[in-house]
Amino acid sequence: MREFVSKKAKDLKPSGIRRFFDIVSERQDVISLGVGEPDFITPWEIRDEGIRTIKRGFTQYTSNSGLLSLRKEISKYLKSSFNVDFSEQDTVITVGASEAIDITLRAIVDEGDEILIPDPSYVSYKPCVELAGGKAVSVYCDGKNGFKLTAENLEKAITEKTKALIFPYPNNPTGGIMDKGDIEKIIPIILKHDLVVISDEIYAELTYGKNHCSIASFKEMEKRVVLIGGFSKSFAMTGWRVGFVCAPEEIKNALLKIHQYTVICAPIFSQYAAEQGLKRGREDGYASVSSMKEEYDKRRKFMYKAFKNMGLDVFMPEGAFYIFPCVKNTGLDGEQFALKLLEEKKVAVVPGEAFGDFGKDYIRCSYAYSMKNLMEAMEKIAEFVKELKIKD
Amino acid sequence: MENLKKDLVKLLSENARYSYSDLATMLSLEESVVKTAVKELEKDGIIVKYSAIIDTEAMDEKPVQALIEVKVAPQKLKGFDSTAEEIYHFPEVTSLYLMSGGFDLAVFVEGKDLGDIAAFVSEKLSVIDGIIGVQTHFILKKYKIEGQIVKKGDLFERQIIQA
């Protein structure tokens, strides 16, 4: 019998998270700080609209691009919240932002193209680039500088094969953001090398202190930004699988083709539900999003203080719902720390290496949990760190 | 001060054991400011008590709890207040509310067993001046107590580790 699995699929490295997940699953009574989704459930009005859609018998395909009314709402939302100009014609509703990332890369990447990926960042970018036939190139983001993408590090990573930059801010796992000033510094590099930017803005609603600044809002970046967003994190709709991608015409047509052949359309009830979320949001100033964000903010402050008190090197996250402390001064790297912590205190965190080589000395802790859960976990981590230092 | 007090009421209602330090961290304020605000809430009678919320059904010796609907003939010049005063002094009475609708006073009581409650109703409650009707309802099962779901149905469990 011959080898049935493709070389491409075989060569894909299994997710570092998957491996750790398997180890954690074997343990009982573990307090986990490892999730990547909100601990809130979808607000009632949105759930209600989804239910209503099903009750009305709307169970068919929508157009490939998705409901026109939802695309119009997204266009309004992007303009009013982030001053971004994409019309409903530029928008495709996808099966989560995850599908948007995949089809965008497949629409853009030719065999051998180099795609820049900030390191550390979300686990899916590298595999999706590789599946599309491209080469993933890491761009170092320094923890001492808020894990920001700098012009210097960007320039160092660019070759004549570089085609695109994946730009995921606010960032999972670091909690780093790129504000107006930060983006202005890298625009000249992007223009100089004629790159296209894939901006993953799934956490756009979750910034603390500053409003999210979208790279798509810069005039100079017109026609070279693909904006990816969704409702999973802002409206707690992870299970509904509905997101969107906005792109300049040519790119949009290309990714729409792929979307038509592979997925046809996003779930109809999820689209109607998301539309309701945006409509309500316009009316009540996105109250449900604000109240979730306020909750996250309290927890963020608590987590930062707790890690600081332990003596760990930690950056105050400015977005998303993760905190990414450095554990180097305990003498262990992220994975060793996570395994030992799990073994001795039954607390699960995610080793930073799962998010890129530059995450090696870090651990990712999610604060999408109740304060009660967080306080319990942090007490145990504090004990653990204290005991480690004593052993040293 | 007003927003701070609202925030503190919300936080302390969720967890009365938050330390001043925890509250100060979550609200990005000085501990002294938080402490002053909490003391004022206590002084103003907004925060009246800090106590643990107990699910008695999870205990080995479960007390019996009941809601007694009481109809009152209001007293001249005193309304319901004097009758209420006679009722709420009993230690068996855990809560007492004046209600709109088909009856006047909602009396929540707790006792060792059914007999205890029955005795309270017949010997202490029904004999009070002004009480013209009494209907006792025993609590059979509690699903949610003071904002906390205690009887879990099929609550969805999130994946432990995710990207």
Side-chain angles (χ1 to χ4, degrees):
Chain A
M1 251 168 63
R2 62 200 276 190
E3 172 72 65
F4 289 136
V5 176
S6 76
K7 183 169 189 304
K8 218 183 225 180
K10 227 171 167 206
D11 289 342
L12 269 187
K13 257 179 70 191
S15 160
I17 286 189
R18 180 80 235 171
R19 212 170 54 80
F20 199 69
F21 176 88
D22 290 337
I23 298 172
V24 173
S25 306
E26 285 168 22
R27 305 274 186 282
Q28 308 276 39
D29 297 327
V30 170
I31 304 176
S32 171
L33 294 182
V35 292
E37 63 177 338
D39 59 315
F40 301 104
I41 58 177
T42 313
W44 170 241
E45 322 77 65
I46 300 176
R47 277 183 282 151
D48 196 34
E49 186 61 27
I51 294 167
R52 233 170 52 90
T53 307
I54 296 171
K55 280 190 179 164
R56 287 157 80 196
F58 288 10
T59 54
Q60 299 79 2
Y61 292 129
T62 66
S63 74
N64 298 124
S65 303
L67 294 175
L68 179 60
S69 49
L70 173 56
R71 288 184 278 131
K72 282 186 170 159
E73 282 291 339
I74 290 172
S75 176
K76 278 194 203 124
Y77 164 73
L78 290 174
K79 183 71 192 175
S80 65
S81 294
F82 310 116
N83 199 29
V84 165
D85 286 304
F86 276 118
S87 77
E88 56 271 19
Q89 308 306 331
D90 307 319
T91 307
V92 176
I93 309 299
T94 54
V95 178
S98 300
E99 188 219 336
I101 294 167
D102 184 31
I103 58 175
T104 302
L105 285 167
R106 284 196 282 162
I108 288 178
V109 175
D110 276 315
E111 202 72 33
D113 279 347
E114 287 179 8
I115 312 295
L116 303 167
I117 303 177
D119 185 331
S121 67
Y122 182 53
V123 306
S124 292
Y125 303 131
K126 187 164 185 280
C128 285
V129 164
E130 288 170 358
L131 281 170
K135 178 165 178 244
V137 173
S138 289
V139 184
Y140 172 56
C141 294
D142 193 348
K144 299 210 183 350
N145 184 28
F147 297 100
K148 291 184 195 288
L149 195 54
T150 60
E152 196 191 331
N153 290 341
L154 200 50
E155 185 72 67
K156 273 192 219 160
I158 294 177
T159 71
E160 74 276 359
K161 292 208 176 114
T162 310
K163 184 141 181 213
L165 165 67
I166 295 181
F167 193 71
Y169 292 95
N171 185 280
N172 168 14
T174 65
I177 61 162
M178 291 282 282
D179 63 25
K180 187 163 177 286
D182 302 322
I183 296 176
E184 276 166 0
K185 294 197 184 106
I186 62 167
I187 285 181
I189 315 284
I190 295 168
L191 294 175
K192 176 174 160 199
H193 296 280
D194 198 16
L195 304 178
V196 58
V197 175
I198 303 172
S199 185
D200 181 356
E201 303 185 23
I202 192 72
Y203 291 101
E205 282 294 342
L206 295 179
T207 56
Y208 311 102
K210 293 180 188 157
N211 270 344
H212 170 70
C213 179
S214 172
I215 194 168
S217 65
F218 288 77
K219 219 78 229 31
E220 318 89 287
M221 296 300 290
E222 208 180 325
K223 301 234 194 291
R224 59 173 74 242
V225 177
V226 175
L227 192 159
I228 291 172
F231 309 96
S232 294
K233 320 290 180 182
S234 50
F235 287 122
M237 289 180 79
T238 41
W240 296 75
R241 312 318 295 127
V242 58
F244 59 89
V245 55
C246 301
E249 195 179 351
E250 268 197 11
I251 302 178
K252 187 220 90 173
N253 289 339
L255 57 83
L256 180 59
K257 267 192 284 187
I258 301 171
H259 173 80
Q260 282 165 338
Y261 284 130
T262 56
V263 155
I264 303 177
C265 70
I268 182 172
F269 50 86
S270 303
Q271 292 188 53
Y272 275 106
E275 187 192 334
Q276 179 67 229
L278 288 176
K279 263 206 202 123
R280 275 298 183 110
R282 266 194 300 120
E283 287 159 19
D284 67 12
Y286 305 99
S288 56
V289 178
S290 303
S291 66
M292 285 190 243
K293 197 160 88 154
E294 269 168 38
E295 250 318 294
Y296 288 135
D297 196 14
K298 295 193 180 89
R299 301 166 184 177
R300 176 184 76 113
K301 291 170 188 164
F302 168 73
M303 297 290 278
Y304 174 72
K305 181 141 187 257
F307 278 119
K308 263 233 119 34
N309 287 345
M310 276 180 230
L312 291 181
D313 220 335
V314 64
F315 154 71
M316 176 58 144
E318 295 178 275
F321 41 63
Y322 311 102
I323 187 165
F324 204 57
C326 181
V327 298
K328 202 165 183 190
N329 66 2
T330 65
L332 304 170
D333 70 24
E335 184 164 343
Q336 293 165 338
F337 186 100
L339 285 169
K340 209 166 192 285
L341 176 66
L342 179 63
E343 207 50 63
E344 292 181 16
K345 299 289 176 185
K346 290 192 176 186
V347 174
V349 300
V350 186
E353 207 175 6
F355 304 95
D357 294 333
F358 295 116
K360 192 164 188 293
D361 291 318
Y362 296 81
I363 53 168
R364 187 195 76 176
C365 302
S366 167
Y367 47 91
Y369 290 95
S370 67
M371 272 302 296
K372 182 165 174 271
N373 201 71
L374 295 174
M375 286 174 118
E376 210 182 324
M378 293 312 280
E379 204 183 306
K380 295 203 169 165
I381 298 179
E383 268 171 34
F384 177 71
V385 171
K386 198 160 174 228
E387 287 161 18
L388 279 179
K389 292 223 165 108
I390 290 172
K391 281 187 193 143
D392 281 356
Chain B
M1 208 24 143
E2 282 323 303
N3 276 331
L4 169 57
K5 285 186 175 170
K6 274 193 204 150
D7 285 337
L8 287 170
V9 166
K10 188 160 181 268
L11 286 168
L12 289 169
S13 300
E14 279 162 26
N15 181 0
R17 290 181 81 186
Y18 280 137
S19 64
Y20 292 126
S21 169
D22 292 330
L23 294 167
T25 302
M26 288 191 275
L27 297 170
S28 294
L29 293 165
E30 289 298 313
E31 229 179 280
S32 54
V33 174
V34 167
K35 191 169 180 185
T36 305
V38 172
K39 293 290 173 206
E40 274 184 37
L41 284 166
E42 290 170 9
K43 194 164 135 284
D44 293 339
I46 294 172
I47 295 180
V48 296
K49 190 179 179 184
Y50 299 95
S51 82
I53 293 169
I54 309 286
D55 181 8
T56 54
E57 287 177 39
M59 289 161 54
D60 285 332
E61 289 181 25
K62 306 176 218 302
V64 172
Q65 290 156 329
L67 161 61
I68 307 173
E69 294 174 356
V70 174
K71 263 205 116 358
V72 176
Q75 306 295 287
K76 213 184 218 177
L77 297 176
K78 294 178 199 165
F80 296 98
D81 288 359
S82 61
T83 313
E85 201 179 330
E86 283 198 61
I87 300 175
Y88 63 59
H89 282 300
F90 289 113
E92 298 92 324
V93 175
T94 54
S95 295
L96 176 60
Y97 309 121
L98 178 65
M99 310 289 284
S100 69
F103 64 95
D104 304 308
L105 293 170
V107 186
F108 283 91
V109 294
E110 184 174 307
K112 258 189 1 286
D113 50 41
L114 213 117
D116 240 18
I117 309 247
F120 170 77
V121 173
S122 58
E123 293 160 24
K124 295 180 183 169
L125 186 63
S126 309
V127 300
I128 292 175
D129 253 342
I131 290 188
I132 53 178
V134 160
Q135 237 187 63
T136 306
H137 306 275
F138 288 96
I139 292 177
L140 298 178
K141 192 169 173 180
K142 294 190 198 162
Y143 294 96
K144 192 174 189 183
I145 307 172
E146 305 284 353
Q148 180 63 40
I149 296 172
V150 293
K151 222 33 119 254
K152 292 192 194 320
D154 290 316
L155 277 189
F156 186 76
E157 294 233 4
R158 285 190 295 173
Q159 300 287 299
I160 264 199
I161 304 268
Q162 295 165 329

